[in-house]
């Protein structure tokens, strides 16, 4: 797949479009000088329409290849995304590339600001986390970019040059099949921030529709205001069991929330899995299992970063790259769901 883009807009192009001098454009971009608001607005509008981005490295890279790769993930403290990033670095660093990291916190406005700032450094490539509602500003910047752009964590959306990740719809179906095969009918879902995380919402909707196809109505408890962490899982599990004490199984948005939910169930004397089965997502709990092995959908997190980085290197070498890579996911049976 080719990643060639139209010629990058220059300061001269912006000056011509705005009908001002190059010096005026330079001053507006640097926010200096005694320039009228009307002229500033005219210059910035011309720059936006042309997709002009001033080079923040001030020409220091003009005589050599830029070896910086920009990466935007929701949170570096989230083990899922930190492991994806680790996979990216494992491939790029031995090849002399360096990653420049930004955290979007699932905020479209923050993501747009980061894209703007990072593209101004003229990076060799841009890696973005999938599953976000991208703003119009971000879309416009991505359309005008002059480097390959790759989507991480989601193979279902293919609007960029390449995407690497699991099918979140498949994950939802796997969970539904697992629970239904064990004769469970009173099934609940616990999650958080589904308005921000499109991938998580896609898993949830797939779970719900798969259960509905078998005549099972999913009971949902989702909090948009709480983080996707263990304490939230614990709090919501407590609320759920108070409202629906006959629940037979709970699927949590991720492993962290599932472990929090398990802590409440154990303290409340609710037998797992005899009374309530519990299943998570992402597999981050598996390496730390001691006595309780959570049933979860395992995702090859580091491999997603590695494949994305390899695709970027191939694009930079003008080699052919397929449009997406679908990560193989697997449901790992632990001791928190009934065995057949």
């Amino acid at each position: 797949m080719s990643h060639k883009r139209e010629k990058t807009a220059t300061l001269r192009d912006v000056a011509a479009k705005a009908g001002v001098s190059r010096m005026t454009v330079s001053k507006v971009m640097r926010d200096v000088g005694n320039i009228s608001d009307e002229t500033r607005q005219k210059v910035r509008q011309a720059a936006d329409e042309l997709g002009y981005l001033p080079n923040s490295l001030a020409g220091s890279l003009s005589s050599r290849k830029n070896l910086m790769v920009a990466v935007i993930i929701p949170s570096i403290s989230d083990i899922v995304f930190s492991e994806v990033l680790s996979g990216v670095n494992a491939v790029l660093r031995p090849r002399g590339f360096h990653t420049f990291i930004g955290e979007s916190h699932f905020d479209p406005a923050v993501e747009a600001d980061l894209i703007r700032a990072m593209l101004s450094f003229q990076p060799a490539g841009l890696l973005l986390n999938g599953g976000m509602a991208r703003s119009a500003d971000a879309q416009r910047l991505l359309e005008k970019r002059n480097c390959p752009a790759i989507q991480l964590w989601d193979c279902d959306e293919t609007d960029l040059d390449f995407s690497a990740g699991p099918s979140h719809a498949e994950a939802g179906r796997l969970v539904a099949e697992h629970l239904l095969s064990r004769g469970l009918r009173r099934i609940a879902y616990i999650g958080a921030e589904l308005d921000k995380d499109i991938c998580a919402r896609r898993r949830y909707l797939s779970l719900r529709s798969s259960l509905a196809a078998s005549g099972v109505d999913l009971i949902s408890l989702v909090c948009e205001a709480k983080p996707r962490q263990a304490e939230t899982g614990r709090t919501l599990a407590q609320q759920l069991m108070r409202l629906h004490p006959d629940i037979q199984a709970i699927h949590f948005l991720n492993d962290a929330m599932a472990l929090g939910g398990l802590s409440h169930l154990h303290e409340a004397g609710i037998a797992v899995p005899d009374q309530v089965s519990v299943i998570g997502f992402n597999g981050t709990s598996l390496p730390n299992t001691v006595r309780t092995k959570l049933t979860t959908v395992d995702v090859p997190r580091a491999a997603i970063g590695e494949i994305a980085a390899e695709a970027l290197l191939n694009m930079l070498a003008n080699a052919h790259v397929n449009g997406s890579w679908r990560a193989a996911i697997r449901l790992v049976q632990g001791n928190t769901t009934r065995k057949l």
Side-chain angles (χ1 to χ4, degrees):
M1 175 181 290
S2 172
H3 64 269
K4 292 182 179 178
R5 301 287 164 189
E6 62 192 45
K7 181 178 177 292
T8 302
T10 65
L11 186 144
R12 185 192 297 273
D13 297 330
V14 177
K17 186 174 184 64
V20 299
S21 69
R22 282 178 287 171
M23 181 61 72
T24 297
V25 174
S26 177
K27 289 181 178 180
V28 171
M29 293 294 104
R30 290 181 289 123
D31 199 23
V32 299
N34 186 21
I35 299 173
S36 70
D37 290 341
E38 180 181 354
T39 299
R40 287 184 184 276
Q41 183 177 356
K42 185 163 56 175
V43 169
R44 293 194 180 281
Q45 182 176 346
D48 285 343
E49 291 176 0
L50 290 172
Y52 172 74
L53 293 165
N55 189 347
S56 298
L57 296 184
S60 64
L61 298 173
S62 61
S63 61
R64 61 184 177 90
K65 181 181 179 182
N66 191 348
L67 297 177
M68 185 189 75
V69 174
V71 185
I72 302 175
I73 55 178
S75 172
I76 200 168
S77 64
D78 187 316
I79 189 172
V80 168
F81 303 115
S82 65
E83 289 186 9
V84 172
L85 177 60
S86 179
V88 170
N89 285 328
V91 171
L92 293 183
R93 283 182 177 169
R95 300 290 294 273
F97 288 85
H98 303 281
T99 49
F100 182 34
I101 315 302
E103 294 179 281
S104 67
H105 302 291
F106 286 110
D107 187 323
V110 172
E111 184 193 50
D113 287 343
L114 287 169
I115 292 173
R116 183 184 301 277
M118 289 180 164
L119 288 181
S120 74
F121 288 98
Q122 307 292 332
L126 177 63
L127 276 59
L128 300 169
N129 194 73
M132 284 184 57
R134 203 147 280 148
S135 70
D137 283 345
Q139 293 285 11
R140 184 164 54 250
L141 288 164
L142 290 172
E143 289 170 2
K144 296 289 186 178
R145 73 186 186 276
N146 196 36
C147 67
I150 292 176
Q151 181 159 263
L152 302 165
W153 193 242
D154 184 11
C155 74
D156 295 321
E157 294 295 332
T158 56
D159 55 331
L160 299 180
D161 296 314
F162 183 78
S163 60
S167 166
H168 294 273
E170 178 191 3
R173 290 193 296 270
L174 278 178
V175 171
E177 291 167 4
H178 180 79
L179 298 177
L180 290 172
S181 69
R182 281 140 181 83
L184 302 170
R185 308 288 291 180
R186 291 286 293 168
I187 299 172
Y189 173 86
I190 286 180
E193 300 181 317
L194 294 190
D195 284 347
K196 297 179 180 179
D197 187 345
I198 294 175
C199 289
R201 186 164 75 237
R202 193 178 297 138
R203 293 196 302 273
Y204 162 71
L205 292 175
S206 176
L207 170 69
R208 190 175 69 178
S209 63
S210 297
L211 292 176
S214 295
V216 174
D217 292 328
L218 180 66
I219 295 169
S220 305
L221 186 56
V222 177
C223 180
E224 295 299 336
K226 291 183 179 293
R228 309 179 309 164
Q229 298 172 359
E231 186 56 36
T232 301
R234 177 186 175 87
T235 300
L236 295 182
Q238 184 176 19
Q239 293 178 18
L240 175 71
M241 298 311 297
R242 185 173 63 249
L243 295 170
H244 304 280
D246 60 341
I247 282 295
Q248 297 175 304
I250 309 173
H251 175 40
F252 288 83
L253 177 143
N254 60 20
D255 279 14
M257 292 185 71
L259 293 175
L262 278 171
S263 70
H264 166 70
L265 295 175
H266 289 319
E267 289 180 13
I270 299 172
V272 176
D274 294 337
Q275 288 178 257
V276 177
S277 288
V278 173
I279 184 169
F281 172 81
N282 68 30
T284 55
S285 65
L286 296 176
N288 303 311
T289 295
V290 180
R291 299 179 67 181
T292 299
K293 182 180 179 181
L294 177 68
T295 298
T296 185
V297 177
D298 191 23
V299 182
R301 300 169 297 280
I304 290 170
E306 293 167 1
I307 293 294
E310 291 285 0
L312 173 61
L313 293 176
N314 286 331
M315 290 179 192
L316 295 176
N318 293 318
H320 174 75
V321 175
N322 291 325
S324 65
W325 177 75
R326 181 169 176 165
I329 60 177
R330 63 192 181 105
L331 193 142
V332 180
Q333 170 81 58
N335 55 13
T336 62
T337 55
R338 300 177 185 175
K339 293 186 178 180
L340 290 174

